[in-house]
Amino acid sequence: MDRVLFGDNQFFGVNHMSEEKARAQAMRFQDLQAVIDVLDAAYREGIRTFMCTTHDRVAEICEHFRAHREKYPDYRFYPCMPYAHKYANAVTEYGMIDALRRFLPDEGALGAMMKGGVALAAKDVRAIIGLLVDAEMKMFQGLSTPVIFVQNVITDLLLGLGMHDALRFFAEHVRERYDAEPGFITMNTPRLLDALDAQGIDNPIVCSNINRLGFRMCGGIEAYEHAIATRRFRPVAMSVLASGAISPREAIEYVCAQPKIESIVFGASSAGNIRQTKQLIDQLSVAG
Amino acid sequence: MIRIAMVGLGKMGLSHHAIVNAHPGVKVVAACDSSGYLTDVLARHTGLKCHAELKPMLAQEQLDAVVVSTPSRLHASMVEKAIARGLHVFCEKPFVLDVRDGERLVSQVEQRRLVNQVGYHYRFVGAYQEAARVVASGALGTVHHVRAEAYGPVVLRPKGSTWRTAKNEGGGALYDYACHAVDLVNYLVGPPAAVGGVALNRVFSRDVEDEVYCSLYFPGGATGQLAVNWSDESFRKMSTKVTVWGSNGRVSADRQECQIYLREPHPQLPGVERGWTVRYTTDLTPPVWFYLRGEEYSAQIDYFVKSIEQGRLDGQNTFRSALQADRIVSMILAQAQGAPAPASATARASEPAGARGILARLFG
């Protein structure tokens, strides 16, 4: 994994501090070109990985990168699935099982259709997870996706329910079908590491909030620091700026001072902010 | 170790189950749900003991408390069964559809001295708590107006087949969205004495309202407005905002931030200066031991557990408090029934053809 990954919250109206700011961003990035311009600015700073949710609009971004391969020969996507609100809204509208049905393949080959139906009827969780992953991965066809993440709302739901084997089913499917490394986004890293260990998932990629404030680091900042220092996993730090609550230099100093953090994901909307953050990470990573 | 059973494993039930199950002071002993599908999967993959019905579960299991997250029309009878067994109860919102049921349940839990809580999770969001603190301090002067708004993208097409879109089961934007906004009004300034100018509009739904608008009249003369629309696609998810105006300023809160404007500083609110003060979730949110969808969902469960441990009966979101929201909802319904039947806001689009697909027909 690269040291710096580019995130996508800013493109889809996600901001943990302000709904007004989130809406202003949603307006600005309604135009695909505005999104591409920012990704291009990040590319010029040497950022080659886009870590993005499987929001419907990411399909348009993928289309652009497929159409301009020559311009981005070394570009990689790290899909994060699913875009949870899509599922949550469908569950409210259709109920749990009907919603699930709607996300399983219902087009194309009769075989795929039957596979979905049979998996559902047999309550075959492993097969259902495989089919759901495949449905989300469709938009990335032909693009490089060396790491595939499951979003924290799913990781942590399975973690809380104690349905830990489902995390392994995800990992196995992603490895076998996409030759990709599975990644797990979570708000509960220490607890998740125990569950992944018990499932025999060795040295997992785990992406979670890591910031000096301890914001959304469940189990506490000390438990995180201890886990990073002592446990075998590949940490990816997100929300390092705690949505802007900490100054960039302080924020990145803290993350870079932690041993073993492989990658830092951040999102930004202006070329200036991208350059500043990227340079800070490069500079403080060398120093650390 | 507190022994809890989950009653209902729908969207909220599963989410509560994950949070309760992760709580160090609790053991989830069993769950019940009428969907054999889900209970089979959970039993097979997590070892959870599952029942199809409530009665046998209550009879067979050794329990201290239940978490009830069934469709709203089932709350009253299920909560009553749990109380009869002497169990502490956490119930999803809205508490009850019939205020008389609620009054009976309030007197039962209070008589039996059982912990009782309803899932109005916004009262556990830092920004709303801060707004409540500002209002309670008196720093706003004489409060004269309140506005509570809730918007989101739940029903966006003329379709839908769950209890949430069935009128007599507690479906519709009034029970699903508006009661949250109403509860926030009750939390911040106390319940209104009357409602008026009620509009329950349909946008896409056939049987239930998608929009709720009304005026609120408070005992001291203050007024308020409620504006709710669950068919607004411009919102990514449910967004709830409450604003209180007083003679010395205003406070406005949503899930992310609390904005305060004071004309003059107030001794009861030290540290808040003249003009704007903005406080963010990041600063206002105490950490939780386990995070699933927002700190507030975990915080309310932890609060319930602590209430049981400490014997706290007069805490946040008691049945008595939640029944205040149900009372306002029933006042809104009564007003609406006196008014002409809701007109359709848009011409009904025809059913999308084949929306459920062949799969659904094969296995539906």
Side-chain angles (χ1 to χ4, degrees), chain A residues 19 92 120 123 160 165 216, chain B residues 11 21 37 40 45 239 295:
Chain A
E19 290 201 17
T92 306
L120 206 56
K123 300 167 187 171
D165 55 359
R216 291 201 177 139
Chain B
K11 193 163 82 169
N21 198 36
Y37 194 96
D40 275 7
H45 290 269
S239 171
E295 284 84 0

Side-chain angles (χ1 to χ4, degrees), chain A residues 151-194:
Chain A
Q151 291 278 21
N152 53 291
V153 68
I154 300 296
T155 308
D156 293 333
L157 178 68
L158 295 170
L159 181 64
L161 292 176
M163 212 163 143
H164 301 166
D165 55 359
L167 297 167
R168 176 166 48 86
F169 298 156
F170 168 78
E172 289 169 355
H173 184 75
V174 156
R175 283 213 173 96
E176 286 160 18
R177 177 79 193 261
Y178 299 96
D179 196 19
E181 257 310 289
F184 303 88
I185 307 177
T186 182
M187 297 289 166
N188 307 285
T189 296
R191 183 187 287 263
L192 178 68
L193 290 176
D194 293 341

Side-chain angles (χ1 to χ4, degrees), chain A residues 5-18:
Chain A
L5 316 174
F6 201 64
D8 73 343
N9 272 351
Q10 70 281 5
F11 296 143
F12 303 120
V14 182
N15 186 291
H16 301 303
M17 294 279 272
S18 156

Side-chain angles (χ1 to χ4, degrees), chain B residues 126-149:
Chain B
Y128 297 120
Q129 289 175 339
E130 178 67 1
R133 188 179 75 91
V134 169
V135 174
S137 76
L140 296 182
T142 307
V143 168
H144 52 85
H145 194 73
V146 185
R147 178 179 293 165
E149 303 161 276

Side-chain angles (χ1 to χ4, degrees), chain A residues 5 35 69 92 112 132 140 153 161 166 170 174 219 229 236 238 276:
Chain A
L5 316 174
V35 175
R69 271 173 220 279
T92 306
L132 290 173
F140 298 100
V153 68
L161 292 176
F170 168 78
V174 156
V236 176
M238 66 174 180
Q276 186 202 17

